[in-house]
Amino acid sequence: FVASLTEAIAANALPPSSLEVEITEGMVMEDVESTIGTLRVLKDIGVSIAIDDFGTGFSSLAYLQRLPVDVMKVDRAFVSGIGGGGSAERIAEMIVALGRTLSLQTVAEGVETADQLDIVRRWGCQIVQGYYHAPPMAPEAFEAWVRRRRTGGPGA
């Protein structure tokens, strides 16, 4: 994987820092030592590492502190419970606080309402993904969406 990625970076003249590789907790737990080694190599060449769907697997905090990650993504299963005051909301808040404590950038996945956006921002979450901003879209639709937002056109 590392060799293929390195070749792709070189072939396309990309700065490694422009790439982010996402891994899931489950992927890490399949072979912890090998995964940590691979992630360290990627980090050493400048690629950003994100742990996706954090909180849905069974990884331990001992492994988390060993992973060379830059970004922690809060799974939408917890984000969808924000605003209800239940355990999902409390878990989401704790994940964001953990990310801050570890100096990781945090991303809330599945933000669909202004209330959810306000709450995760108040917690200190730096990035959000979800329908609140835009639904998933094909590359051509995304390009048009970006152009509209830049120019302030219809649907911006």
Side-chain angles (χ1 to χ4, degrees):
F1 174 73
V2 172
S4 296
L5 185 62
T6 304
E7 287 175 25
I9 289 169
N12 292 286
L14 293 172
S17 61
S18 68
L19 296 177
E20 182 172 277
V21 172
E22 291 188 10
I23 58 167
T24 62
E25 285 183 79
M27 184 186 300
V28 171
M29 298 311 290
E30 286 177 16
D31 186 352
V32 175
E33 295 308 318
S34 176
T35 301
I36 289 172
T38 300
L39 295 178
R40 283 197 177 124
V41 170
L42 293 174
K43 183 112 170 139
D44 287 347
I45 64 173
V47 174
S48 177
I49 310 293
I51 188 160
D52 194 21
D53 302 335
F54 189 81
T56 61
F58 296 102
S59 66
S60 77
L61 295 178
Y63 288 130
L64 179 62
Q65 73 179 8
R66 292 180 54 209
L67 291 172
V69 298
D70 305 289
V71 180
M72 181 183 293
K73 298 180 84 172
V74 183
D75 188 74
R76 70 185 316 105
F78 302 115
V79 174
S80 67
I82 292 175
S87 63
E89 181 173 336
R90 290 190 299 277
I91 291 170
E93 183 177 13
M94 289 187 330
I95 293 170
V96 172
L98 178 61
R100 277 196 332 266
T101 299
L102 297 174
S103 299
L104 302 175
Q105 188 172 57
T106 54
V107 179
E109 297 180 313
V111 173
E112 296 183 1
T113 68
D115 286 342
Q116 290 172 336
L117 178 63
D118 290 343
I119 291 168
V120 298
R121 282 190 173 158
R122 187 173 61 239
W123 293 341
C125 187
Q126 297 99 338
I127 300 173
V128 299
Q129 295 176 328
Y131 280 86
Y132 179 76
H133 291 294
M137 57 187 84
E140 304 80 26
F142 177 71
E143 289 173 9
W145 181 81
V146 169
R147 278 193 298 278
R148 282 193 307 274
R149 291 185 58 92
R150 284 186 181 157
T151 63

